[in-house]
Amino acid sequence: MGMISINAIYAATSLVIEMPPVIVDFASTIQFFKMVSEVLERLPPKTYSFVRLMITKHNGRANAQELVELLRKFYGPYIMSNFMIESEAISKAASNMQTLYEIDKFIGDKRTYERALQYADMVNGELENLVTSTWSKPIFLKDSNSLHGEIANG
């Protein structure tokens, strides 16, 4: 893990870690938590208002659904309720260096764009609620091992 990543993680007041529902990405996320835990052990104790895993690139297939169910059992409240779908609209926006919200006129099936926008609105609404809820009452992690320990052990 590089110094910029370490500084960003330590400077953050909250963490949202994105993860596609694919076994390889699940394994990478576990490895990421181990690295973060090792780094935080060497630093003064850290407080985060919230830590969440956000499912991204969800394609709706059975194997993705099964992995999401497993993740919800394993990580429980750390998994965001809403997820971001895999969509041609997102790919097209990204290829033009835009977000879904910056597209003036979508070239393609309008339903594809509206569906992607609906999921983005749900994810962003949940993130907004998480952020605004922290303004009144932060949640304190017990020690530097809590980030990995609480998420990895559910």
Side-chain angles (χ1 to χ4, degrees):
M1 183 174 292
M3 288 303 294
I4 292 175
S5 297
I6 292 168
N7 284 328
I9 289 168
Y10 196 75
T13 57
S14 303
L15 297 175
V16 177
I17 300 109
E18 60 92 18
M19 189 186 82
V22 178
I23 291 293
V24 172
D25 290 300
F26 175 63
S28 294
T29 301
I30 297 295
Q31 185 62 34
F32 171 76
F33 288 144
K34 287 179 183 176
M35 286 189 299
V36 169
S37 178
E38 290 169 4
V39 168
L40 290 179
E41 285 175 3
R42 297 183 186 127
L43 300 170
K46 176 65 186 163
T47 299
Y48 292 99
S49 296
F50 65 84
V51 177
R52 294 291 186 279
L53 284 170
M54 177 174 53
I55 304 298
T56 60
K57 298 181 183 178
H58 194 301
N59 58 22
R61 294 189 182 118
N63 56 347
Q65 285 290 89
E66 290 171 9
L67 184 55
V68 169
E69 288 175 24
L70 178 67
L71 290 169
R72 288 195 192 283
K73 286 179 186 174
F74 193 63
Y75 290 123
Y78 293 101
I79 301 286
M80 289 180 58
S81 299
N82 295 292
F83 58 86
M84 197 59 227
I85 60 169
E86 184 174 53
S87 172
E88 184 64 28
I90 296 168
S91 298
K92 285 183 179 182
S95 70
N96 291 323
M97 306 280 283
Q98 294 180 309
T99 68
L100 290 172
Y101 299 107
E102 296 171 306
I103 296 174
D104 291 324
K105 184 173 180 172
F106 181 71
I107 298 172
D109 187 343
K110 187 176 179 180
R111 292 175 296 180
T112 299
Y113 172 73
E114 289 172 350
R115 181 171 180 258
L117 196 57
Q118 178 185 16
Y119 277 86
D121 286 345
M122 289 187 299
V123 166
N124 290 329
E126 184 174 349
L127 287 171
E128 181 180 10
N129 289 336
L130 283 167
V131 169
T132 57
S133 72
T134 67
W135 293 344
S136 62
K137 185 177 177 184
I139 300 168
F140 296 97
L141 296 181
K142 297 175 198 112
D143 57 47
S144 62
N145 289 325
S146 293
L147 172 66
H148 180 262
E150 286 187 29
I151 291 177
N153 298 323

